[in-house]
């Protein structure tokens, strides 16, 4: 069964149509890489899925919960508050710029939402945080503050924070783009491990090797539409569409 | 010897008068903070509101209050009720002073709060929203603590200005430190009371500075 289903999603900023009739779905345990040139709407798509932006029309479903559907008059109809709250717990989002809370220790960054949003008791939240930090190789950093960590470490804390509420699906928006090149490896390694554990993930990325070697499926977006999608080895190594070919050529020249 | 004793006695009584005046000064100072510190926040939020019907009136209020002298506002608040409604003014000096000071300082604080609120990156709000925090939780748990740290330096300036501004309460004959000192200086034709008053103000500013330094150290655990 699909964890996430997006149907005929449309979104415009004023005159600028950023998403034009986007449809795709993500199955449980699947890793989907989203690639495409700058301005093609990748971030906007993730932001609509994570309710940071609202669709103009279309449907987004998380398992049996409907976040938004098109009403009879063609406009987007969003779920009520309780459903929305439940849906927020179904996903996690990792930002390009980490967005850790600077005034909270690493431990508090991980437990703040479980305790105050989900009502998990303190001890259980801490236990979970300790497990996640161990998994991220950051066991010794529980009491550190974000400013004391390297970019790579901050991003790993951010991944742990996104996982603290046991989401069914994790979104990543260029998780390595804000990092020095020598630090991207540690993040990709963590994400590869998550993939091996069958964490469902949607990853916007410019790391073609990650898309090729880790993703189960690649979606190529350009100018607000999905141009091509499929097995990474087909899409990346033998693209059929001219736009895909052009994009991949440009990327490999860098 | 007798002369010295007489001088000491005189100095003692002068010091007593000034200390009493300083008490009133401190009271104006503290009461203004008690009202203005919280009142500044709704004004800041109103100033940032998307709704024109909230934002515009707040903008106009800020413009008027920040664009006219505090002395004028004190006089306006003090005499306003009498001229507008014919209400007599007995016992209204001190409350009028506190009202004028509170509104005036709330407006200055509001602009500092707004600067602080706007300096928090959008990413902080978005991260909190994605994690499921309500608007209220985001404000109190994520945004406000960071704002407090960022606004400490401008707040410290403003609060030190406040202790000195209390001298304006003499406009409506409140017996605060400066009015007491000035009266004593005239009575004695001596500068001594003025110098002593200066020492009191300096002491006040010193304590405020220490408090803010302490707060900055307290919040210095993160960047
Ligand atoms: N809040 C906004 N208001 C107006 N226009 C926006 C907004 N956010 C994005 N856009 C526009 O939407 C288009 C798509 O932006 P988006 O950030 O989704 O692209 P992207 O594929 O993520 O690009 P990149 O690879 O550079 O991150 C761009 O033309 C951008 O200018
Ligand atoms: Mg983007």
């Amino acid at each position: 069964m699909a964890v996430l289903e997006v149907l005929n999603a449309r979104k415009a900023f004023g005159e600028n149509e950023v998403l034009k009739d986007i449809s795709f779905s993500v199955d449980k345990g699947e890793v989907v890489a989203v690639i495409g040139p700058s301005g093609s709407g990748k971030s906007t798509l993730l932001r609509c899925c994570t309710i940071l932006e609202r669709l103009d029309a279309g449907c987004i479903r998380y398992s049996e919960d409907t976040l938004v559907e098109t009403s009879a008059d063609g406009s987007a109809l969003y779920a009520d508050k309780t459903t929305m709250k439940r849906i927020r717990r179904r996903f996690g989002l990792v930002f390009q710029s980490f967005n850790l809370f600077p005034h909270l220790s690493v431990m508090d960054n991980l437990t703040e939402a479980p305790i105050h949003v989900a009502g998990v008791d303190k001890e259980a939240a801490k236990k979970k945080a300790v497990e996640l930090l161990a998994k991220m190789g950051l066991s010794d950093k529980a009491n550190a503050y974000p400013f004391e960590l390297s970019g790579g470490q901050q991003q790993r804390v951010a991944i742990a924070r996104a996982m603290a509420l046991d989401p069914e699906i994790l979104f990543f928006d260029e998780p390595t783009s804000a990092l020095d090149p020598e630090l991207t490896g540690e993040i990709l390694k963590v994400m590869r491990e998550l993939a091996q554990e069958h964490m469902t993930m949607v990853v916007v990325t410019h790391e073609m090797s990650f898309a090729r070697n880790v993703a189960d499926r690649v979606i190529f977006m350009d100018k607000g539409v999905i141009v091509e999608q499929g097995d990474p080895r087909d899409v990346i190594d033998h693209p059929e569409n001219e736009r895909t070919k052009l994009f991949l050529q440009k990327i490999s020249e860098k | 010897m007798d002369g010295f004793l007489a001088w000491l006695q005189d100095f003692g009584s002068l010091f007593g008068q000034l200390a009493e005046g300083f008490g009133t000064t401190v009271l104006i100072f503290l009461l203004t903070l008690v009202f203005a510190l919280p009142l500044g926040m709704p004004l800041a939020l109103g100033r940032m509101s998307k709704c024109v019907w909230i934002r515009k009136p707040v903008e106009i209020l800020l413009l008027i209050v920040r664009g006219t002298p505090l002395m004028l506002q004190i006089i306006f608040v003090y005499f306003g009720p009498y001229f507008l409604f014919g209400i007599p003014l007995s016992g209204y000096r001190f409350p009028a002073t506190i009202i004028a000071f509170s509104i005036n300082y709330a407006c200055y604080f509001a602009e500092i709060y707004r600067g602080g609120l706007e300096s928090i990156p959008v990413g902080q709000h978005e991260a909190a929203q994605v994690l499921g925090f309500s608007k209220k939780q985001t404000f109190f748990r994520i945004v406000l603590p960071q704002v407090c740290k960022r606004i400490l330096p401008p707040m410290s300036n403003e609060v030190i200005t406040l202790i000195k501004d209390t001298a304006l309460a003499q406009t409506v004959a409140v017996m605060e430190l400066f009015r007491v000192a000035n009266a004593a200086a005239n009575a004695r034709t001596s500068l001594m009371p003025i110098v002593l008053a200066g020492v009191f103000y300096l002491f006040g500013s010193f304590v405020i500075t220490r408090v803010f330094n302490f707060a900055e150290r307290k919040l210095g655990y993160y960047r």
Side-chain angles (χ1 to χ4, degrees):
Chain A
M1 184 184 162
V3 175
L4 168 69
E5 208 178 352
V6 177
L7 284 173
N8 310 109
R10 290 177 183 280
K11 169 79 186 171
F13 291 108
E15 296 286 281
N16 184 8
E17 278 187 72
V18 179
L19 301 179
K20 306 166 191 160
D21 201 27
I22 298 274
S23 299
F24 71 100
S25 72
V26 182
D27 284 332
K28 195 165 161 39
E30 205 180 9
V31 178
V32 175
V34 181
I35 61 173
S38 183
S40 55
K42 307 181 297 294
S43 295
T44 307
L45 180 60
L46 284 206
R47 292 172 60 81
C48 288
C49 290
T50 52
I51 334 183
L52 289 172
E53 299 282 357
R54 303 257 170 151
L55 288 182
D56 298 329
C59 170
I60 297 178
R61 229 175 264 132
Y62 281 93
S63 301
E64 66 279 358
D65 277 332
T66 301
L67 168 64
V68 50
E69 56 195 345
T70 309
S71 67
D73 66 357
S75 65
L77 188 70
Y78 271 82
D80 57 87
K81 264 193 167 171
T82 11
T83 314
M84 206 100 108
K85 207 173 163 190
R86 193 168 60 232
I87 289 175
R88 281 215 170 85
R89 292 194 46 187
R90 290 183 180 273
F91 61 73
L93 171 62
V94 176
F95 297 85
Q96 181 176 340
S97 49
F98 329 138
N99 294 342
L100 293 178
F101 303 130
H103 60 302
L104 300 179
S105 68
V106 166
M107 178 55 81
D108 290 344
N109 262 280
L110 299 196
T111 56
E112 193 79 350
I115 293 171
H116 298 289
V117 174
V120 176
D121 77 55
K122 266 193 184 141
E123 287 314 306
K126 271 194 178 165
K127 190 159 161 271
K128 173 90 189 169
V130 167
E131 277 167 26
L132 284 168
L133 287 177
K135 198 165 162 161
M136 298 293 146
L138 292 171
S139 292
D140 52 335
K141 299 294 183 193
N143 296 315
Y145 283 85
F147 79 92
E148 299 170 304
L149 305 178
S150 73
Q153 291 170 332
Q154 289 190 47
Q155 191 60 303
R156 279 183 281 157
V157 174
I159 295 173
R161 182 178 67 176
M163 293 176 66
L165 283 168
D166 285 317
E168 292 160 17
I169 180 169
L170 269 185
F171 295 98
F172 295 78
D173 192 356
E174 302 194 30
T176 58
S177 293
L179 296 174
D180 293 337
E182 71 268 22
L183 297 178
T184 58
E186 58 187 81
I187 299 304
L188 295 177
K189 177 169 164 279
V190 165
M191 292 170 63
R192 208 173 302 123
E193 285 164 10
L194 291 178
Q196 276 156 12
E197 293 166 22
H198 304 293
M199 182 77 216
T200 312
M201 301 194 277
V202 176
V203 185
V204 173
T205 184
H206 289 299
E207 298 281 341
M208 284 308 134
S209 64
F210 176 84
R212 186 194 285 111
N213 301 325
V214 183
D216 301 305
R217 185 152 49 100
V218 169
I219 291 179
F220 173 68
M221 271 182 80
D222 191 16
K223 301 198 178 94
V225 296
I226 293 179
V227 175
E228 197 167 345
Q229 63 171 312
D231 187 282
R233 279 161 206 86
D234 295 339
V235 177
I236 295 175
D237 297 337
H238 310 286
E240 288 181 354
N241 191 289
E242 280 308 312
R243 277 145 88 181
T244 322
K245 280 181 197 166
L246 213 65
F247 169 73
L248 290 167
Q249 223 166 38
K250 269 193 194 150
I251 275 236
S252 61
E253 278 164 13
K254 273 188 198 156
Chain B
M1 195 63 204
D2 275 1
F4 177 70
L5 269 182
W7 181 86
L8 202 65
Q9 209 171 17
D10 180 52
F11 182 83
S13 90
L14 174 65
F15 190 88
Q17 284 171 26
L18 291 178
E20 205 175 308
F22 188 58
T24 307
T25 288
V26 170
L27 194 62
I28 298 172
F29 173 81
L30 289 179
L31 284 174
T32 300
L33 286 185
V34 163
F35 295 116
L37 284 174
L39 185 60
M41 192 46 86
L43 286 174
L45 295 174
R47 173 74 178 69
M48 294 164 71
S49 169
K50 285 194 196 87
C51 168
V52 210
W53 294 103
I54 299 175
R55 192 178 65 243
K56 272 290 162 199
V58 173
E59 261 175 35
I60 291 168
L61 176 73
L62 294 186
L63 186 73
I64 293 173
V65 171
R66 291 172 6 114
T68 58
L70 175 53
M71 193 187 275
L72 183 152
Q73 293 163 23
I74 295 170
I75 293 173
F76 181 82
V77 172
Y78 180 58
F79 289 106
Y82 179 71
F83 285 113
L84 293 177
F85 312 111
I87 303 169
L89 300 169
S90 71
Y92 182 53
R93 288 176 200 291
F94 192 74
T97 306
I98 300 301
I99 292 171
F101 268 86
S102 297
I103 294 174
N104 183 275
Y105 270 82
C107 290
Y108 281 96
F109 291 159
E111 286 297 78
I112 295 178
Y113 293 168
R114 180 168 72 94
L117 288 166
E118 286 176 348
S119 78
I120 303 300
V122 203
Q124 292 290 305
H125 292 268
E126 294 186 345
Q129 193 183 328
V130 169
L131 287 168
F133 287 104
S134 66
K135 286 229 164 76
K136 195 172 144 199
Q137 284 176 320
T138 304
F139 183 77
F140 285 106
R141 295 192 170 276
I142 308 301
V143 176
L144 197 56
Q146 296 184 53
V147 168
C148 285
K149 181 185 166 94
R150 288 179 188 218
I151 63 174
L152 276 180
M155 285 302 281
S156 136
N157 279 334
E158 209 58 50
V159 172
I160 287 176
T161 305
L162 170 59
I163 191 84
K164 294 177 290 182
D165 267 359
T166 52
L168 289 171
Q170 64 167 315
T171 319
V172 289
V174 170
M175 296 301 279
E176 46 62 55
L177 178 58
F178 190 78
R179 188 177 174 89
V180 174
N182 208 11
N186 285 336
R188 292 156 189 262
T189 51
S190 148
L191 256 189
M192 178 64 140
I194 299 293
V195 172
L196 257 183
V199 173
F200 272 104
Y201 283 118
L202 212 53
F203 170 73
S205 307
F206 172 75
V207 171
I208 296 167
T209 309
R210 291 300 293 263
V211 168
F212 272 95
N213 285 347
F214 175 77
E216 272 182 47
R217 250 179 293 122
K218 263 282 190 210
L219 294 178
Y221 68 89
Y222 73 92
R223 254 177 254 148

